[in-house]
Amino acid sequence: MFHPSYRPRRMRHDEFSRRLMRENTISTNDLIYPLFIHDGQGRIPVASMPGVERLSLEELLVVAGECVALGIPVIDLFPVTDPARKSLDGAEAWNPDGLAQRAVRALKAAYPQLGVMTDVALDPYTTHGQDGIIDEAGYVLNDITVQALVKQAVSHADAGADIISPSDMMDGRIAAIRQALDEAGHINVRIMSYSAKYASAFYGPFRDAVGSAGNLGKADKKTYQMDPANSDEAMREIALDLDEGADMVMVKPGMPYLDIVRRVKSEFGVPTFAYQVSGEYSMIKAAAANGWLDEKACVMEAMMGFKRAGADGVLTYFAPQIARWLKED
Ligand code: PBG
């Protein structure tokens, strides 16, 4: 009889030894919940993201209460802007009484213990749907845009935001935002930088949700978001953002970019996050709705993939569902 020198299946034989050798775990502490908010009443479903709704301020507070009860550490806000308030320069982004700023104030008053993160980029506010200010040719101008992002970031921090999250991919914005936050007295407001953000087709449903898809039309974001072909370039982006003062870095999208997550964690050893984006959410939802995939098993497997790749946390639209599953098990 042939006996292999080692049998890996031995440790997989029983649940107790599978548990014993498990290298990674999923916890509610790993979750950041992205939420869409609107200035009207009630909840408006997002057609391309089954189960996701745009929330009024009142409904936002209801959901925030649920997040606190579930132990989710942080929520991330994405406002839907009234088309009448959109402009070429996206000035609504730094309106102290804008939707995002009012939402932050209401959240921090109701649930001071819940971390509130805000997205810094101009796309929900511009008539052309780009993340920055454009020239006649439609090119996003870097340095003028950074000045606008600084105003937006400070207005969010003034409203009480705990984490500022620039998702625009302009050069030099982390340094500019850090300096402006410090000068405004917000030395403890954290920055989670979308450092390695790719020009991805997986953002499609998100652009429906915030209502920027129609503004953007057939244009793309390839002059500022990264080329999916590149990995070394992502390391350079991460190094720059850390140098400029980022507290946490993010890779986005998630599942197609797990190699990037692993490289960031291995090469820099800093707090590293992955964004399971709208398209990743919708794929799982659509397949599950057709009975082709087991939703819970696939979501948890994807989460484990993020953890194994080295992510300290994941931005996911499944966050409350995952937290509930973890409670049940
Ligand atoms: C905007 C922004 C986007 C996402 C987060 N912030 C879209 C984009 O860059 O076009 C995508 C999130 C998702 O798809 O879930 N700067």
Side-chain angles (χ1 to χ4, degrees), residues 64-232:
E66 290 165 4
C67 290
V68 170
L70 285 166
I72 293 172
V74 179
I75 62 173
D76 186 12
L77 299 179
F78 292 99
V80 179
T81 309
D82 174 354
R85 295 193 163 272
K86 295 191 184 190
S87 59
L88 263 176
D89 67 354
E92 179 64 13
W94 54 90
N95 175 356
D97 288 313
L99 178 58
Q101 290 82 352
R102 277 181 283 132
V104 172
R105 282 198 293 269
L107 284 166
K108 292 313 292 185
Y111 300 105
Q113 71 276 47
L114 178 65
V116 175
M117 174 157 126
T118 54
D119 202 72
V120 165
L122 301 184
D123 55 315
Y125 310 96
T126 53
T127 41
H128 43 77
Q130 295 288 359
D131 290 23
I133 294 165
I134 57 172
D135 66 13
E136 310 78 58
Y139 182 73
V140 175
L141 297 163
N142 195 85
D143 301 2
I144 293 174
T145 296
V146 170
Q147 288 175 25
L149 298 172
V150 162
K151 286 189 267 185
Q152 183 183 18
V154 171
S155 81
H156 290 174
D158 286 345
D162 300 295
I163 306 174
I164 299 296
S165 191
S167 72
D168 53 282
M169 289 299 279
M170 295 303 114
D171 297 332
R173 90 276 208 217
I174 299 300
I177 289 171
R178 183 71 268 164
Q179 188 173 343
L181 289 176
D182 289 355
E183 273 167 17
H186 299 301
I187 58 166
N188 284 323
V189 170
R190 283 133 281 206
I191 297 178
M192 179 184 289
S193 178
Y194 287 70
S195 300
K197 176 171 179 177
Y198 288 85
S200 172
F202 287 99
Y203 308 149
F206 172 96
R207 293 177 190 167
D208 293 337
V210 293
S212 67
N215 300 91
L216 192 61
K218 285 204 180 340
D220 62 48
K221 302 189 178 184
K222 291 179 183 171
T223 69
Y224 47 104
Q225 297 180 350
M226 282 185 45
D227 184 337
N230 296 352
S231 160
D232 288 342

Side-chain angles (χ1 to χ4, degrees), residues 233-257:
E233 188 190 4
M235 299 309 110
R236 185 141 199 218
E237 283 281 8
I238 300 273
L240 280 168
D241 285 1
L242 290 170
D243 256 12
E244 292 179 26
D247 301 289
M248 300 167 270
V249 295
M250 193 206 299
V251 174
K252 179 182 176 201
M255 235 157 53
Y257 297 85

Side-chain angles (χ1 to χ4, degrees), residues 269-309:
V270 296
T272 302
F273 294 80
Y275 199 142
Q276 182 182 49
V277 299
S278 57
E280 298 177 66
Y281 172 89
S282 299
M283 285 195 301
I284 294 177
K285 277 288 184 186
N290 277 291
W292 298 336
L293 286 179
D294 175 333
E295 180 172 338
K296 177 180 175 183
C298 287
V299 169
M300 293 312 244
E301 187 177 330
M303 275 299 290
M304 198 56 96
F306 289 117
K307 293 301 298 287
R308 198 186 58 246

